[in-house]
Amino acid sequence: MLKGKRIRLSLLVAGILFIISGFNITWAESPSSEHPYGWYPGVTLTVAVLSGVHHIPWREAGRRFEELTGVKIEVVEFPFSAIYDKLMTEAVSHSGAFDIMEVCNMWVPDFKEGRFILCLDDYVKKWNPNLEDIAEPVKKLMKFGGRYWSILLDGDVFLLHYRKDLFEDPKYKKEFKSRYGYELAPPKTWKEYRDMAEFFTRDTDGDGEIDLWGNTLMLLRVHLPFTFVQMLKSYGVDYFDPETMEPQINSPRAVEALKMLKELVKFMPPGNLNWGYTEVREAFIRGEVALMINWNEITYEVYEGTKVANKTGYTLVPGTIINGKLHRASLQAWGWTGVISTDSKNPEAAYQFLRYVTSPEIIANVFHRGYFGYEPWRESEFTNPRLIGFTPASWEWLQAIQKSMAHGVSDLRIPGGFSYYDALAVEVGEALAGKKTPEQALNDAAKAWKKITERRGKKNQLKEYHEMLGLPAL
């Protein structure tokens, strides 16, 4: 009987092996020399991204990835007004609807706090996402408490854009030197920026009306906090005291920054107090302003009908003199980054796809081969021949981004970051409208920040702030 059972078992195993070989079944495998991003046949990953143009490089990269790994990529789009709420709703319900989510850097703490996204440390240690090709200030955007939680997709940073044709005009250079006592050149400090904004505000055609304004900045409530935080960082102001969580946004240097911003409004086009990203950009493209601080796009060079093509210069945002030295800081404002849901059924495959789309080859030649709303951030991109040849201004633009990244400082990346930003925007707006003094406005903003901190739990917020700064745990 025992012998008969063994024979039947052997026949059963042989039959199973025969069936498997007949159907040519291939098991999943982790990355190897044959499959550098692994082999996961039958796996489907769903990626949630911003609607508009973002989906284009994701879909193209997805098609390539499927050929390499057998993984099918499905891309789901959401409009800007809905993407945060949609992603958070799915995360809270643990629906597992998305494997990879494209989120703003400032949103990561909210998802991390709720344990809705995976820490990527183990994956990063096992399969390096080309970290050696990323500058340290950029790496910090992907970390909390020294641990990786995301991989960057978008190298957003503020740049100073200026009209090279105006700055290089011999007539203007002579007039400026006579009036201000130093050479006309891209401003290195906010005081110089203020002088140049005043200088270029003028009537150029003699009709009695100002038709060239010195500068434009984003002052609409939704964008104002980015503008003012950039100035705070330029003035050497921190968000909080890392020991007490006491707001620093009403410090003497912060008040000085707000006074400067209010001064600059004098040299902006009418209505600029209500201008956001689009209005500021369009005014610059129309040739109506000499100076602009905005995100690091190069579309000013390629829009049809633009008056600033081949006339735009790109450089670092101005700084201030602190203790006898020029202090510069470039706000890494907003920026899209990729995270993996804790509810993903295929987290390893999801990481491999995220590693693939952010690899030097794909990020430069797929995500940055046209304008898809993503800006360069890998070190190798700043010497990439194709990117350098994109427009005549590309080399200067890329160099400005790289230098700015070296001085990069992040947004307030703690839970509820946008609540703090909005409270700041409300009070700064009151000061710019003349309803409060700069001191009153920033004192009120600091009080609002304290309330937000208490509401969310001071101990937790202090812990999160330490993690954001990369300081030792409390």
Side-chain angles (χ1 to χ4, degrees), residues 224-361:
L224 176 55
F226 296 106
T227 295
F228 189 58
V229 165
Q230 169 62 78
M231 295 192 71
L232 289 177
K233 292 301 178 181
S234 295
Y235 276 77
V237 178
D238 293 325
Y239 296 111
F240 297 97
D241 183 318
E243 299 300 322
T244 65
M245 206 59 185
E246 187 73 15
Q248 300 298 293
I249 56 172
N250 59 339
S251 65
R253 283 181 185 163
V255 172
E256 186 181 347
L258 184 49
K259 288 180 178 179
M260 174 60 78
L261 180 57
K262 190 169 183 179
E263 173 76 3
L264 293 174
V265 173
K266 299 176 184 178
F267 315 119
M268 296 181 187
N272 202 144
L273 285 176
N274 296 314
W275 284 10
Y277 163 75
T278 300
E279 294 83 3
V280 164
R281 182 182 63 173
E282 289 179 351
F284 187 78
I285 289 172
R286 291 193 300 266
E288 297 174 1
V289 293
L291 294 159
M292 174 187 70
I293 292 173
N294 208 329
W295 276 283
N296 50 323
E297 294 183 4
I298 199 163
T299 49
Y300 314 103
E301 303 290 339
V302 297
Y303 279 141
E304 185 176 349
T306 177
K307 293 186 178 180
V308 295
N310 301 316
K311 298 177 182 178
T312 302
Y314 305 87
T315 191
L316 282 73
V317 172
T320 55
I321 303 298
I322 299 177
N323 298 325
K325 294 183 179 181
L326 177 60
H327 169 79
R328 303 189 98 146
S330 299
L331 186 65
Q332 295 161 310
W334 193 265
W336 295 99
T337 196
V339 296
I340 298 175
S341 169
T342 52
D343 296 307
S344 172
K345 293 180 175 60
N346 299 284
E348 182 180 302
Y351 174 76
Q352 299 305 337
F353 184 49
L354 197 52
R355 183 168 72 99
Y356 176 73
V357 298
T358 58
S359 64
E361 178 187 356

Side-chain angles (χ1 to χ4, degrees), residues 79-222:
F80 181 79
S81 60
I83 187 169
Y84 176 87
D85 290 339
K86 179 62 177 176
L87 297 184
M88 186 58 75
T89 298
E90 296 295 339
V92 170
S93 68
H94 295 284
S95 69
F98 312 119
D99 297 281
I100 296 173
M101 299 179 288
E102 175 181 73
V103 300
C104 161
N105 283 314
M106 286 185 72
W107 299 347
V108 176
D110 294 341
F111 286 88
K112 181 176 74 72
E113 183 185 41
R115 299 181 180 180
F116 302 137
I117 58 175
L118 292 176
C119 176
L120 304 181
D121 256 20
D122 289 343
Y123 291 130
V124 168
K125 290 173 184 176
K126 196 170 185 180
W127 299 295
N128 179 12
N130 297 96
L131 292 176
E132 65 281 358
D133 191 32
I134 308 174
E136 197 57 39
V138 180
K139 288 180 189 176
K140 289 180 180 179
L141 292 175
M142 304 187 284
K143 294 180 180 180
F144 291 91
R147 305 171 72 198
Y148 287 95
W149 290 86
S150 71
I151 299 184
L152 198 66
L153 299 164
D154 177 24
D156 274 348
V157 67
F158 278 162
L159 297 183
L160 170 62
H161 306 69
Y162 66 96
R163 287 280 300 279
K164 291 179 73 173
D165 56 325
L166 301 179
F167 274 74
E168 295 172 357
D169 188 310
K171 180 185 68 174
Y172 286 142
K173 291 179 77 69
K174 181 178 180 181
E175 181 185 344
F176 183 87
K177 177 71 177 291
S178 174
R179 184 171 170 181
Y180 295 95
Y182 62 95
E183 298 293 337
L184 177 62
K188 293 183 178 179
T189 67
W190 281 100
K191 182 184 181 303
E192 292 177 355
Y193 181 98
R194 181 256 170 231
D195 289 347
M196 293 169 196
E198 178 184 53
F199 174 74
F200 281 116
T201 300
R202 60 181 59 215
D203 170 18
T204 64
D205 59 11
D207 67 353
E209 300 287 335
I210 294 176
D211 50 31
L212 176 63
W213 295 88
N215 81 124
T216 183
L217 299 169
M218 297 181 292
L219 302 181
L220 186 68
R221 179 171 169 175
V222 68

Side-chain angles (χ1 to χ4, degrees), residues 53-67:
V53 294
H54 277 212
H55 73 96
I56 298 173
W58 281 100
R59 294 185 194 280
E60 180 175 334
R63 288 190 291 271
R64 297 187 185 193
F65 191 71
E66 184 174 5
E67 294 176 2

Side-chain angles (χ1 to χ4, degrees), residues 224 262 424-437 441:
L224 176 55
K262 190 169 183 179
L424 180 62
V426 169
E427 296 302 333
V428 171
E430 292 283 279
L432 296 181
K435 297 178 180 179
K436 293 182 180 181
T437 66

